[in-house]
Amino acid sequence: MSIVVTDLLKIYGEQKAVDRISFTVNKGEIVGFLGPNGAGKSTTMKMITGYLKPNAGTAIVAGINVAENPLLAKSKIGYLPEANPLYYDMYVKEYLDFIGGIHKVQERRKKVLSVIELTGLTIESKKKIGQLSKGYKQRVGLAAALIHDPEVLILDEPTSGLDPNQIIEIRNVIRRQGQNKTVLFSSHILQEVEAICDRVIIINKGQMVANDTLSNLKQRQASNIVKVTFKEALEQSDFETISAATSIIKTNDYTWQLEAANANDVKRQLLELSLVKNVNIVSLQTEGDSLEDIFRSLTMTK
C-alpha cells in the first residue's frame, strides 16, 4: 500500500482539526478526499506530505514513515498544495527546470518538455509564471508535482481555476497517472470526483464519516423516493399501472415524485409505462443516489 494513515491527530489550541483518522490508498487507485470547508482535508494532506507535524499518529508513504524520514518520503511524493506556491518572476521552463534540479531529475531538459506537453502548457511555456491566468498557474503546479515521476500524487484542489475544457484535460492527466501511481486528491467539484475516482473518503469536523466505493455509498444511502421527468405532460390517471408506488406526487406536468418500499420496482414500472404510453423519460433517479446527496447527508450540521 502506498499511503497508510493511522490515528492521525492535529490539534490547534482546543480544536481538533484532524481527529485520529485512519485510511489506506493502494497503488493504481484514485481516491477522492472530500469534506466541507474547514473539515481538515488540507491539514491531513500536509501531514501526509511532511509539511505539517501531527500531534499523534503516523503517515507512511511508499513504505517510508514521513515523520522519521521526511526528505526520503517527499522524494516519493508529487504534491500540489491548495495555495500552489510559485515563483512569479521565473519563466515556466525555468521554474520546472529548477524544481527538477531539486529532485535531481536525470535528463532534466527532456523531462521538462515532457511534463509541459503532458499538462497542456506548451503554448504558455515561454512566459513568466506571473503573466499566466489562474488556470495555467494551476497547470504549472501540477507539472511541478509530476516532474520527478513520483510514486504518490497528493493533489489539493487540482482543477481550481480551470475552465470546463481545461478540467477535462487535467482529469484525463490524473486518470492516466492513476494507472500506475497512487493518487489522493481533494475537490469541491463532485462531478469531477464521480468521473475519475475508484473510492471516496469523506471527513467532517476532523472525523472520517465515509470510506467506500461510490457504488457502495449509493447503495447504503439509497432512498425510497423516485423522481421521474417525462418529455411529455402526463396526468395522475396515467400512473394507475404503477402498483409498486405507495404515493405519487405531481411536481409539475412533466415531473413526478413516487414513494415506494422498493425503488427499483417503481423504476421498472415507469420504464414499462413509457413504452405503453409512448412517452420519453428525460431523467429517472432515486433521491439520494448522487454524490452530492450523499455528501450533504453525511456533512450537514444537524
Side-chain angles (χ1 to χ4, degrees):
M1 290 175 284
S2 290
I3 300 175
V4 181
V5 170
T6 306
D7 289 330
L8 213 54
L9 173 71
K10 185 62 183 177
I11 301 174
Y12 293 109
E14 296 181 356
Q15 180 189 4
K16 291 182 179 179
V18 176
D19 190 3
R20 296 193 178 279
I21 66 173
S22 302
F23 61 84
T24 61
V25 186
N26 300 313
K27 182 177 180 180
E29 191 176 23
I30 302 176
V31 174
F33 195 39
L34 309 179
N37 289 332
K41 302 186 302 298
S42 295
T43 300
T44 301
M45 288 180 156
K46 288 175 183 176
M47 289 190 285
I48 294 172
T49 53
Y51 289 89
L52 194 61
K53 186 176 180 180
N55 292 95
T58 59
I60 297 174
V61 175
I64 303 161
N65 188 307
V66 176
E68 293 176 358
N69 202 336
L71 287 180
L72 182 59
K74 289 176 183 178
S75 72
K76 306 292 184 181
I77 300 170
Y79 178 39
L80 174 62
E82 183 181 21
N84 190 15
L86 300 169
Y87 293 112
Y88 283 10
D89 288 334
M90 296 182 76
Y91 291 92
V92 173
K93 286 184 179 179
E94 179 187 16
Y95 173 73
L96 293 175
D97 183 73
F98 168 67
I99 298 297
I102 292 174
H103 286 289
K104 300 179 181 178
V105 172
Q106 301 297 314
E107 299 184 323
R108 213 155 65 231
R109 186 183 296 273
K110 181 179 179 181
K111 188 63 179 178
V112 167
L113 293 176
S114 174
V115 294
I116 282 174
E117 182 178 358
L118 179 66
T119 55
L121 279 166
T122 303
I123 194 171
E124 303 288 340
S125 62
K126 295 182 180 180
K127 289 184 179 179
K128 284 187 175 182
I129 294 173
Q131 297 174 320
L132 302 178
S133 67
K134 182 180 179 182
Y136 276 107
K137 287 173 183 170
Q138 199 73 357
R139 291 180 186 229
V140 174
L142 181 58
L146 293 168
I147 189 75
H148 58 298
D149 194 24
E151 294 180 33
V152 175
L153 281 176
I154 308 288
L155 308 175
D156 199 352
E157 299 288 344
T159 55
S160 175
L162 303 183
D163 64 39
N165 290 330
Q166 293 173 329
I167 286 174
I168 292 172
E169 292 172 11
I170 297 303
R171 176 197 300 171
N172 291 334
V173 171
I174 295 172
R175 187 183 285 117
R176 288 196 298 271
Q177 294 298 315
Q179 293 175 358
N180 53 20
K181 298 184 189 300
T182 303
V183 181
L184 178 69
F185 85 98
S186 71
S187 177
H188 283 111
I189 306 173
L190 299 184
Q191 297 93 331
E192 192 70 18
V193 175
E194 286 191 280
I196 65 175
C197 285
D198 306 303
R199 176 162 56 96
V200 295
I201 296 169
I202 303 177
I203 64 172
N204 187 40
K205 297 180 180 179
Q207 297 182 330
M208 189 161 64
V209 294
N211 179 7
D212 211 336
T213 62
L214 283 169
S215 59
N216 284 346
L217 280 175
K218 289 178 179 181
Q219 190 172 22
R220 277 165 43 193
Q221 296 292 125
S223 168
N224 60 351
I225 304 287
V226 175
K227 292 182 178 179
V228 60
T229 300
F230 294 94
K231 189 175 180 181
E232 297 81 12
L234 293 180
E235 297 296 333
Q236 190 83 30
S237 59
D238 292 320
F239 291 84
E240 58 186 14
T241 59
I242 311 299
S243 58
T246 56
S247 71
I248 302 173
I249 300 172
K250 181 179 181 180
T251 303
N252 56 52
D253 287 343
Y254 305 94
T255 302
W256 299 76
Q257 182 173 293
L258 299 87
E259 186 172 357
N262 189 317
N264 288 330
D265 286 344
V266 170
K267 286 183 177 181
R268 177 177 51 79
Q269 290 183 350
L270 286 170
L271 291 172
E272 292 172 354
L273 172 68
S274 70
L275 293 173
V276 172
K277 297 288 185 179
N278 194 26
V279 292
N280 299 290
I281 294 178
V282 176
S283 69
L284 176 62
Q285 65 177 16
T286 305
E287 188 178 83
D289 66 0
S290 73
L291 182 56
E292 181 179 350
D293 292 326
I294 295 167
F295 180 87
R296 284 174 59 82
S297 71
L298 292 171
T299 62
M300 282 185 69
T301 302
K302 302 296 184 183

